[in-house]
Amino acid sequence: MTLSSVQPGELNLDNCAREPIHIIGKTQAHGVLVACDPQTLKITQMGENVAEYFGLTFEELFGNDLSYLLGEEQVKQLVEMLSFNETAIPQDILINDKNFLMQVHHSGPNLVLDFEPYQGGQSSNFFQKQLTQILNQFQAAKSVDQLCKAATILSKKMFGYNRVMIYEFDEEWNGKVIAESREEEMGSWLGLHYPATDIPAQSRQLFLKHRVRIITDVNYTPVPIIPELSPLTKEPLDISRSGLRAVSPIHIEYLKNMGVGASLTAAIIVKGKLWGLIACHHSTAKHLDFYQRESCRFLAQMFSTELSLQENSALISQGKLSESIRKQLVVQMNNENDVVTALSKGNVKFTQLFPCGGGAIFIKDRWALNGNTPEKTQLERLLNFIKEHPKSLFLTRNLSAVFPEAKAYKETASGVLCLKIADYKYIFWFKPEEIQEVNWGGNPKDKAFYNEKEQRLSPRQSFEKWSEKLTGISEAWQETDKEIARALRENISYVMLAQQQEEIEALNFKLIEANKELKIFSYGLSHDLRAPVRGMEGILEILDEDHRTELSEEGQKLLQMSRDLNEKMNNLIDNILEYSRLNHSDSLEVKSIDTSEVIEEALKFVNVQGSYPKTTVKIQSQLPEMRGERRMLFQLWSNLLNNAIKYSSEEENPLVEVGTEKIKGHLVFYVRDNGIGVPPKLKEKIFETFKRGVGSRFKGTGIGLAIVKRIIEKHGGEVWVQSEEGKGSIFYFYLDPKL
Ligand code: ADP
C-alpha cells in the first residue's frame, strides 16, 4: 500500500485490507514468471529475473514467440495441454539445459507461466505413503484437539518447518493458536491470540480461493514484472493465482518482526468458510516444491473434512438432546391451557433447551423468569432495546457492547438469545459472563506505526505475550441453538393459535349476548324517555297558549327555545326508538305492497303541501310493487323523501322525483332532488348513526339514513348515493326480489 492511497486521518492497518495484493506487480525470487498471449503465443510480460534463470534477456524474449524460450516441441505439448484444459498439471521443462517445473494458468486474456527450478523430487511411492499416513492419523483422532495436534505433528515431520500451528479464527477474525508443534528451543505460541488485522480481509479471501501460500525467503528482493502493464489489457497483470506472487511489504515486515524467515500456510475451510489456517514457520529461508505443496493442500483438505465431521457429531448429539426437550415442551403446552406456565413451570423447562444460565418469557404484560436472569425492570428496558432490532432472532455473547447498560448484569446475562414469537411475545435465554484471559501475540492495540524510513505503515514490532482480561463475554451460542429456538417458535405459535381460536369463539358468544342485552336496553331506554318528553311537550304547550302574555319578552324567547329543544328531543327519541326496534326484531312480516300508496302516505306524513309549498314532487306512474314489511317500508320512504324535500327546500324551484331504473340486473328505486348535494367524503359516512353533513341550518337528528340502511339490509338489499355538491343527490336502493 502506498501512502498516497490513504488520507492522513484514516491511517491504520485496517486500510491495508485495501492493498491491491493481487496486482502487486512483483514476484518472489524463487522462480520466474512469464506471461503471453494465448492466441498468438507471443511473450507479453516477464519477471525481471529472466536472464538469471534462463540466460535470455528481456529484449530477446519480449514480443517473441514462446517457442523461442521453450522450443517447438515443448510449446506443442503446452498447446495440447491447453486444448484439454489441463492447466492444473505442472510440466517438466528443459530450458538451456536447466530443469524447471512449469505451472500454467489463465489470468483474464493472459496466459501466465510460473517456472520454478526443479531437480526431480520424491517418487510417487513416497507421496502415497504420506497420504496414507495423513488419512490414518486423522481418522484415529477422537476429538478436535487430537485432530489439531496430529495435523501439526504430521506437517512438521512432512515439510520440515521449525514451527507448525493450527490457527483458528473467531467471529471477528481474530486468530488463536490452538495447536502447535515446534523445535524444543523455541518458545511456545500455543494459546496466543492475534488481532484480525494480522491477516487482512483480502488475504483471507485469497486463502479461501487458492488454499496454499508459500513465502520462501522473507529477505528476498521482489522481482518486478516488466512491462508493468499487460499489452493485452493495458492494466497490471492479476497474479493472484500465481505461486510466485510477491508478498505485501507489510506482511514481510510482520514476519521479520516475528523472527520468521519463511512460511507455508494452508487454508482450513469448513462449510465454505475460512475456519482457520495451518501455519508453518521456519526461522531461515525455506522452499517446498510444487508436489510437496500439493501434499500440504491435501493435508489441509483432509483436516477440514475431519474437522467438519467432528464438529457435526458434537452438534448432532447436543441437537438430539435439545430436540427431545422441545418435544416434551410441546406435550406440556398441549396439556396446559397457559403457554407460559407450560414452558416455565412444567417438569421440563424451556431453559433446558440448550446450555444457558436462565431465561425469561414475556407475553403481553406478563413475565415468567427461570434460573439466573436480570431483574424485571432491567428486562423491560432490554426488551425495548431488542424491539428495535428488525430480525425475529436477536443474539449476542457480548450484550454490553451493543447495549451498554447491560454491564450492570453482565454476570448473569452477557450472552442473550431472544426470540420474538409475535408482537408482545418474546422468549429470552441468558448465558453468564465467562471472564477470559486472552494472551495476545504482542499488544493488539499497537496495530501499526508509521515507518519514516520505509514511508509506509509498519506492523507492531514486539510479539511479546500481552495478556488482556476480557469481561462481559459469554460462551458462544451454537448454530443448533438458533434452529431449536426457531422450531420452538413454530410450536408455540401453533399452540397459541389453537388456544386463541377457542378464546375468540368464547368471546364472540359473549359479544352476541351483550349485543342482545344492549338492544333491549336502548329500546327500553328510549321507550321510557318518550312519556316524560311527551308530557313536557304538553306542559310547554299549555304554558305557551295560556300564560305567554304573562311572560316578559325574554321569558317568551326562552319558552320558544324550550319548545324547539323539546321537539328535537322528541324526534330524536322517536328515531332512536325506531332504530333500536329495527335491531330488536329479527323476523320480517313480508307482504306485497303498493309502492305508490306507501309513497303517498309518506308524503302526507312529511306534509309537503303545508310545510314546503314551493316543492314539486314527481312520481313515476305505475311503480312496481315492493315486497317487505309495510311499516318499515313506510319509514324508508318517509326518511328518503323527507331528506330530499328538506335538503332541496332552499332552492328556487325545489324538485323531487321518484322512479325506477335498471342497474346491474336490479330494479332500483331512486329518490332524486336538486338540493344541496352530499360532499364526496361524506358519501359513506351519512349512513352511520348520528353522522350529519350539515350544520344547524337544517333540522335533523342524524339517524334517518341509518334507519334507511338498516331497513334495506334487513330486506336483503343495498342503498347508495350519487351526488354532486350544490346540484342535488340521487339515493338509489333495491330490496331482495326473492323475499
Ligand atoms: P339528518 O337528520 O341530519 O337529515 P340523516 O341520517 O337523514 O340525518 O342524514 C344524514 C346526513 O346526510 C344529513 O345530515 C345530510 O348531511 C345528508 N343528507 C341526507 N339526505 C340528503 C339529501 N337528499 N341531500 C343532501 N344531503 C343529504
Side-chain angles (χ1 to χ4, degrees):
M1 177 173 65
T2 57
L3 259 190
S4 59
S5 63
V6 177
Q7 298 302 312
E10 35 174 303
L11 200 64
N12 63 52
L13 264 199
D14 300 325
N15 289 325
C16 293
R18 285 192 240 135
E19 192 183 10
I21 54 177
H22 62 295
I23 48 166
I24 196 161
K26 296 185 180 76
T27 70
Q28 296 184 54
H30 60 267
V32 57
L33 179 145
V34 173
C36 69
D37 178 346
Q39 309 298 329
T40 60
L41 293 180
K42 294 261 184 274
I43 296 175
T44 52
Q45 279 173 294
M46 67 202 82
E48 216 175 46
N49 55 353
V50 271
E52 184 189 324
Y53 280 97
F54 301 142
L56 294 166
T57 62
F58 169 78
E59 288 72 22
E60 281 174 280
L61 292 171
F62 183 67
N64 212 336
D65 209 282
L66 195 59
S67 56
Y68 186 76
L69 178 66
L70 301 184
E72 295 292 343
E73 191 50 35
Q74 294 190 122
V75 167
K76 223 170 108 192
Q77 281 168 11
L78 171 67
V79 171
E80 199 169 317
M81 185 182 85
L82 290 174
S83 69
F84 285 111
N85 211 6
E86 284 181 344
T87 51
I89 304 166
Q91 305 292 306
D92 286 311
I93 296 281
L94 192 69
I95 300 173
N96 282 342
D97 292 333
K98 279 191 195 158
N99 289 304
F100 293 91
L101 206 59
M102 177 180 78
Q103 256 189 284
V104 185
H105 69 268
H106 291 278
S107 167
N110 303 285
L111 192 67
V112 178
L113 318 169
D114 285 352
F115 295 89
E116 285 180 33
Y118 185 62
Q119 302 311 327
Q122 306 286 357
S123 66
S124 51
N125 210 355
F126 169 83
F127 285 109
Q128 198 161 6
K129 263 196 203 148
Q130 267 194 344
L131 302 187
T132 318
Q133 224 178 353
I134 295 171
L135 278 175
N136 290 346
Q137 297 257 351
F138 283 0
Q139 280 170 0
K142 296 269 179 301
S143 65
V144 173
D145 280 355
Q146 280 185 17
L147 184 69
C148 292
K149 191 73 203 151
T152 59
I153 294 172
L154 261 180
S155 310
K156 183 160 181 305
K157 200 166 112 196
M158 280 164 58
F159 311 126
Y161 283 80
N162 297 146
R163 183 199 303 271
V164 178
M165 296 167 288
I166 303 286
Y167 188 87
E168 183 186 357
F169 291 116
D170 68 12
E171 296 100 333
E172 277 123 29
W173 297 108
N174 298 312
K176 181 185 177 188
V177 178
I178 58 163
E180 176 191 53
S181 278
R182 62 191 152 87
E183 302 297 336
E184 263 175 35
E185 67 277 11
M186 296 176 95
S188 171
W189 290 357
L190 187 64
L192 288 189
H193 290 245
Y194 293 87
T197 44
D198 281 12
I199 302 178
Q202 94 278 38
S203 303
R204 295 195 297 266
Q205 209 56 40
L206 286 179
F207 273 125
L208 204 54
K209 252 167 129 178
H210 307 306
R211 313 277 170 117
V212 175
R213 168 80 164 140
I214 188 160
I215 298 171
T216 300
D217 181 5
V218 297
N219 294 312
Y220 80 110
T221 308
V223 183
I225 296 172
I226 45 176
E228 206 179 322
L229 302 182
S230 158
L232 299 180
T233 59
K234 311 279 180 275
E235 280 174 12
L237 188 63
D238 179 346
I239 52 166
S240 52
R241 284 183 64 191
S242 167
L244 289 171
R245 175 166 55 84
V247 188
S248 131
I250 297 177
H251 190 59
I252 286 287
E253 198 176 338
Y254 174 81
L255 291 175
K256 281 184 185 170
N257 290 349
M258 271 184 149
V260 174
S263 73
L264 174 72
T265 316
I268 304 167
I269 296 166
V270 175
K271 291 186 192 146
K273 204 177 146 207
L274 192 63
W275 179 96
L277 301 170
I278 300 177
C280 310
H281 287 175
H282 208 64
S283 44
T284 55
K286 179 172 172 61
H287 184 62
L288 280 196
D289 69 35
F290 170 82
Y291 294 107
Q292 285 173 302
R293 297 196 306 260
E294 280 301 285
S295 290
C296 179
R297 176 198 298 270
F298 178 77
L299 184 143
Q301 209 147 4
M302 281 310 300
F303 179 85
S304 303
T305 313
E306 272 305 315
L307 186 70
S308 310
L309 288 177
Q310 296 265 4
E311 285 197 333
N312 276 351
S313 72
L315 286 179
I316 286 169
S317 51
Q318 170 63 37
K320 271 189 187 151
L321 179 68
S322 303
E323 197 54 28
S324 80
I325 289 178
R326 187 175 63 85
K327 283 187 181 142
Q328 185 56 37
L329 287 172
V330 173
V331 173
Q332 287 176 193
M333 282 193 287
N334 283 328
N335 293 341
E336 167 73 52
N337 263 339
D338 180 49
V339 170
V340 179
T341 313
L343 292 175
S344 60
K345 302 236 161 61
N347 284 342
V348 168
K349 318 250 181 320
F350 72 103
T351 40
Q352 286 166 260
L353 267 178
F354 28 76
C356 67
I361 305 178
F362 174 81
I363 291 193
K364 284 179 193 148
D365 48 4
R366 228 175 108 202
W367 284 96
L369 311 186
N370 271 75
N372 297 330
T373 68
E375 287 166 16
K376 267 187 203 164
T377 46
Q378 294 170 327
L379 284 174
E380 247 140 43
R381 292 176 61 86
L382 174 62
L383 179 63
N384 285 338
F385 164 73
I386 289 178
K387 274 183 187 162
E388 285 162 23
H389 183 75
K391 292 196 179 138
S392 57
L393 194 78
F394 169 89
L395 86 171
T396 173
R397 54 184 297 212
N398 185 4
L399 181 61
S400 54
V402 284
F403 185 54
E405 66 178 65
K407 241 190 207 128
Y409 46 84
K410 64 183 168 52
E411 289 80 11
T412 40
S414 282
V416 174
L417 191 156
C418 176
L419 181 72
K420 177 178 175 181
I421 295 167
D423 283 342
Y424 308 108
K425 294 184 187 115
Y426 291 82
I427 302 190
F428 294 79
W429 287 266
F430 302 110
K431 279 193 197 244
E433 175 184 43
E434 295 217 330
I435 298 177
Q436 298 171 7
E437 183 158 85
V438 179
N439 293 318
W440 295 93
N443 182 347
K445 287 174 187 112
D446 294 343
K447 278 182 189 167
F449 67 94
Y450 183 62
N451 185 331
E452 269 315 326
K453 201 170 113 226
E454 301 279 342
Q455 294 265 301
R456 58 166 168 72
L457 288 176
S458 279
R460 63 189 181 280
Q461 284 179 308
S462 164
F463 284 83
E464 280 297 298
K465 185 165 119 183
W466 191 89
S467 299
E468 187 185 22
K469 235 186 207 145
L470 289 186
T471 59
I473 295 179
S474 75
E475 206 183 55
W477 297 99
Q478 300 298 326
E479 236 359 84
T480 42
D481 300 346
K482 288 195 231 172
E483 281 162 27
I484 293 281
R486 287 200 181 102
L488 182 72
R489 178 184 37 221
E490 294 286 301
N491 298 138
I492 296 177
S493 305
Y494 188 79
V495 171
M496 281 193 144
L497 205 68
Q499 286 178 356
Q500 270 167 4
Q501 206 145 352
E502 277 173 27
E503 274 170 30
I504 288 171
E505 273 163 24
L507 273 177
N508 222 1
F509 179 73
K510 277 191 192 157
L511 205 65
I512 292 169
E513 289 298 297
N515 213 8
K516 267 189 201 160
E517 274 171 31
L518 195 70
K519 279 179 190 167
I520 294 168
F521 175 75
S522 59
Y523 179 77
L525 186 71
S526 39
H527 190 266
D528 292 351
L529 276 175
R530 211 177 186 185
V533 172
R534 290 263 196 271
M536 196 144 58
E537 190 184 359
I539 293 169
L540 287 172
E541 206 178 311
I542 296 170
L543 193 63
D544 197 6
E545 283 169 11
D546 299 352
H547 303 282
R548 176 175 259 276
T549 49
E550 294 159 34
L551 291 173
S552 64
E553 205 176 315
E554 180 71 11
Q556 288 182 14
K557 243 194 221 161
L558 289 172
L559 174 64
Q560 189 51 48
M561 274 167 76
S562 306
R563 287 200 73 176
D564 289 349
L565 286 172
N566 187 265
E567 186 195 335
K568 191 169 180 184
M569 184 133 61
N570 231 332
N571 290 338
L572 194 61
I573 289 172
D574 281 351
N575 284 337
I576 295 177
L577 196 60
E578 184 56 38
Y579 186 69
S580 52
R581 193 182 283 142
L582 281 172
N583 288 325
H584 196 45
S585 70
D586 284 333
S587 59
L588 281 181
E589 264 182 55
V590 181
K591 284 191 193 137
S592 288
I593 285 145
D594 182 335
T595 308
S596 312
E597 202 184 288
V598 188
I599 292 176
E600 274 313 313
E601 205 174 313
L603 285 171
K604 253 191 224 136
F605 178 74
V606 177
N607 188 16
V608 199
Q609 278 163 4
S611 307
Y612 304 95
K614 269 188 352 181
T615 306
T616 313
V617 181
K618 283 190 186 165
I619 300 177
Q620 180 187 311
S621 57
Q622 290 172 346
L623 281 171
E625 269 191 347
M626 296 175 89
R627 278 187 65 72
E629 188 165 315
R630 193 174 194 292
R631 195 180 52 82
M632 286 192 200
L633 297 186
F634 167 74
Q635 184 82 39
L636 160 67
W637 282 109
S638 307
N639 288 1
L640 286 178
L641 288 166
N642 188 27
N643 280 347
I645 292 164
K646 181 167 64 175
Y647 293 114
S648 62
S649 59
E650 290 186 350
E651 305 305 314
E652 221 171 83
N653 296 307
L655 175 66
V656 174
E657 293 166 282
V658 178
T660 54
E661 240 178 70
K662 214 135 192 171
I663 299 177
K664 288 188 190 156
H666 290 286
L667 184 69
V668 175
F669 289 96
Y670 64 82
V671 178
R672 177 190 290 137
D673 66 67
N674 61 349
I676 59 169
V678 181
K681 64 173 195 289
L682 290 182
K683 279 187 181 161
E684 302 290 330
K685 285 253 178 284
I686 53 173
F687 293 99
E688 292 170 19
T689 43
F690 304 116
K691 289 280 158 40
R692 302 204 67 215
V694 287
S696 53
R697 208 165 104 219
F698 295 95
K699 281 187 183 169
T701 59
I703 304 183
L705 284 180
I707 293 177
V708 166
K709 187 162 190 255
R710 195 76 196 96
I711 292 175
I712 291 171
E713 278 170 359
K714 273 184 164 275
H715 285 78
E718 270 186 285
V719 57
W720 66 97
V721 63
Q722 234 179 46
S723 176
E724 211 177 317
E725 243 183 309
K727 295 209 170 150
S729 320
I730 316 175
F731 282 82
Y732 290 102
F733 74 91
Y734 68 88
L735 306 181
D736 183 356
K738 291 194 287 296
L739 273 177

mmCIF file of all heavy atoms in Angstrom, residues 6 203 254 377 391 502 507 541 587 636 647 654 684:
data_model
loop_
_atom_site.group_PDB
_atom_site.id
_atom_site.type_symbol
_atom_site.label_atom_id
_atom_site.label_comp_id
_atom_site.label_asym_id
_atom_site.label_seq_id
_atom_site.Cartn_x
_atom_site.Cartn_y
_atom_site.Cartn_z
ATOM 1 N N VAL A 6 -4.019 6.626 0.877
ATOM 2 C CA VAL A 6 -4.734 6.736 2.148
ATOM 3 C C VAL A 6 -4.748 8.184 2.598
ATOM 4 O O VAL A 6 -3.737 8.870 2.538
ATOM 5 C CB VAL A 6 -4.012 5.876 3.222
ATOM 6 C CG1 VAL A 6 -4.692 6.030 4.567
ATOM 7 C CG2 VAL A 6 -3.986 4.436 2.801
ATOM 8 N N SER A 203 -6.471 -10.937 2.131
ATOM 9 C CA SER A 203 -5.595 -12.119 2.206
ATOM 10 C C SER A 203 -6.449 -13.342 2.528
ATOM 11 O O SER A 203 -6.256 -14.416 1.970
ATOM 12 C CB SER A 203 -4.568 -11.981 3.322
ATOM 13 O OG SER A 203 -3.814 -10.837 3.137
ATOM 14 N N TYR A 254 6.103 -7.870 9.051
ATOM 15 C CA TYR A 254 5.403 -8.550 10.147
ATOM 16 C C TYR A 254 6.106 -9.870 10.469
ATOM 17 O O TYR A 254 6.425 -10.176 11.614
ATOM 18 C CB TYR A 254 3.954 -8.765 9.697
ATOM 19 C CG TYR A 254 3.081 -9.583 10.608
ATOM 20 C CD1 TYR A 254 2.492 -9.015 11.721
ATOM 21 C CD2 TYR A 254 2.814 -10.925 10.324
ATOM 22 C CE1 TYR A 254 1.658 -9.755 12.545
ATOM 23 C CE2 TYR A 254 1.990 -11.675 11.133
ATOM 24 C CZ TYR A 254 1.410 -11.099 12.241
ATOM 25 O OH TYR A 254 0.588 -11.842 13.049
ATOM 26 N N THR A 377 -37.338 -4.960 35.834
ATOM 27 C CA THR A 377 -37.219 -3.601 35.267
ATOM 28 C C THR A 377 -36.093 -3.568 34.232
ATOM 29 O O THR A 377 -36.199 -2.902 33.199
ATOM 30 C CB THR A 377 -36.928 -2.567 36.371
ATOM 31 O OG1 THR A 377 -35.906 -3.109 37.194
ATOM 32 C CG2 THR A 377 -38.153 -2.244 37.166
ATOM 33 N N LYS A 391 -34.779 -8.146 13.214
ATOM 34 C CA LYS A 391 -34.953 -9.588 12.982
ATOM 35 C C LYS A 391 -35.692 -10.249 14.140
ATOM 36 O O LYS A 391 -35.692 -9.745 15.251
ATOM 37 C CB LYS A 391 -33.593 -10.241 12.790
ATOM 38 C CG LYS A 391 -32.961 -9.785 11.489
ATOM 39 C CD LYS A 391 -31.831 -10.703 11.118
ATOM 40 C CE LYS A 391 -31.248 -10.238 9.808
ATOM 41 N NZ LYS A 391 -29.813 -10.292 9.792
ATOM 42 N N GLU A 502 -60.090 -20.780 20.307
ATOM 43 C CA GLU A 502 -61.102 -21.118 21.320
ATOM 44 C C GLU A 502 -61.561 -19.868 22.049
ATOM 45 O O GLU A 502 -62.746 -19.642 22.277
ATOM 46 C CB GLU A 502 -60.525 -22.098 22.342
ATOM 47 C CG GLU A 502 -60.579 -23.534 21.870
ATOM 48 C CD GLU A 502 -59.845 -24.457 22.833
ATOM 49 O OE1 GLU A 502 -59.756 -24.131 24.031
ATOM 50 O OE2 GLU A 502 -59.346 -25.502 22.363
ATOM 51 N N LEU A 507 -65.414 -15.472 23.222
ATOM 52 C CA LEU A 507 -65.659 -14.029 23.265
ATOM 53 C C LEU A 507 -66.804 -13.640 22.339
ATOM 54 O O LEU A 507 -67.651 -12.811 22.682
ATOM 55 C CB LEU A 507 -64.403 -13.282 22.812
ATOM 56 C CG LEU A 507 -63.381 -12.994 23.903
ATOM 57 C CD1 LEU A 507 -62.171 -12.313 23.304
ATOM 58 C CD2 LEU A 507 -63.998 -12.077 24.969
ATOM 59 N N GLU A 541 -96.784 23.439 25.873
ATOM 60 C CA GLU A 541 -97.864 23.906 25.004
ATOM 61 C C GLU A 541 -98.866 24.742 25.813
ATOM 62 O O GLU A 541 -99.257 25.842 25.414
ATOM 63 C CB GLU A 541 -98.558 22.703 24.374
ATOM 64 C CG GLU A 541 -99.208 23.036 23.050
ATOM 65 C CD GLU A 541 -99.842 21.801 22.429
ATOM 66 O OE1 GLU A 541 -99.153 20.749 22.363
ATOM 67 O OE2 GLU A 541 -101.012 21.889 22.059
ATOM 68 N N SER A 587 -87.228 -11.025 12.833
ATOM 69 C CA SER A 587 -88.044 -11.551 11.728
ATOM 70 C C SER A 587 -88.756 -10.420 10.985
ATOM 71 O O SER A 587 -88.895 -9.308 11.494
ATOM 72 C CB SER A 587 -89.083 -12.523 12.287
ATOM 73 O OG SER A 587 -89.872 -11.812 13.202
ATOM 74 N N LEU A 636 -88.933 3.845 5.480
ATOM 75 C CA LEU A 636 -87.866 4.008 4.482
ATOM 76 C C LEU A 636 -88.183 5.170 3.530
ATOM 77 O O LEU A 636 -87.395 6.098 3.337
ATOM 78 C CB LEU A 636 -87.729 2.682 3.714
ATOM 79 C CG LEU A 636 -87.068 2.672 2.355
ATOM 80 C CD1 LEU A 636 -85.600 3.018 2.466
ATOM 81 C CD2 LEU A 636 -87.195 1.288 1.724
ATOM 82 N N TYR A 647 -83.568 18.954 2.076
ATOM 83 C CA TYR A 647 -82.280 19.474 1.626
ATOM 84 C C TYR A 647 -82.358 20.170 0.267
ATOM 85 O O TYR A 647 -81.346 20.645 -0.241
ATOM 86 C CB TYR A 647 -81.219 18.366 1.632
ATOM 87 C CG TYR A 647 -80.907 17.920 3.046
ATOM 88 C CD1 TYR A 647 -81.210 16.630 3.494
ATOM 89 C CD2 TYR A 647 -80.343 18.822 3.953
ATOM 90 C CE1 TYR A 647 -80.957 16.237 4.797
ATOM 91 C CE2 TYR A 647 -80.094 18.439 5.263
ATOM 92 C CZ TYR A 647 -80.397 17.146 5.681
ATOM 93 O OH TYR A 647 -80.146 16.794 6.973
ATOM 94 N N PRO A 654 -87.617 23.929 -6.005
ATOM 95 C CA PRO A 654 -87.262 22.599 -5.495
ATOM 96 C C PRO A 654 -88.024 21.509 -6.245
ATOM 97 O O PRO A 654 -89.230 21.645 -6.460
ATOM 98 C CB PRO A 654 -87.678 22.635 -4.028
ATOM 99 C CG PRO A 654 -87.972 24.058 -3.707
ATOM 100 C CD PRO A 654 -88.316 24.745 -4.985
ATOM 101 N N GLU A 684 -70.192 7.811 2.351
ATOM 102 C CA GLU A 684 -70.362 6.585 3.137
ATOM 103 C C GLU A 684 -70.846 6.926 4.543
ATOM 104 O O GLU A 684 -71.701 6.251 5.110
ATOM 105 C CB GLU A 684 -69.024 5.832 3.246
ATOM 106 C CG GLU A 684 -68.392 5.443 1.917
ATOM 107 C CD GLU A 684 -69.185 4.352 1.224
ATOM 108 O OE1 GLU A 684 -69.804 3.539 1.928
ATOM 109 O OE2 GLU A 684 -69.207 4.346 -0.027
#
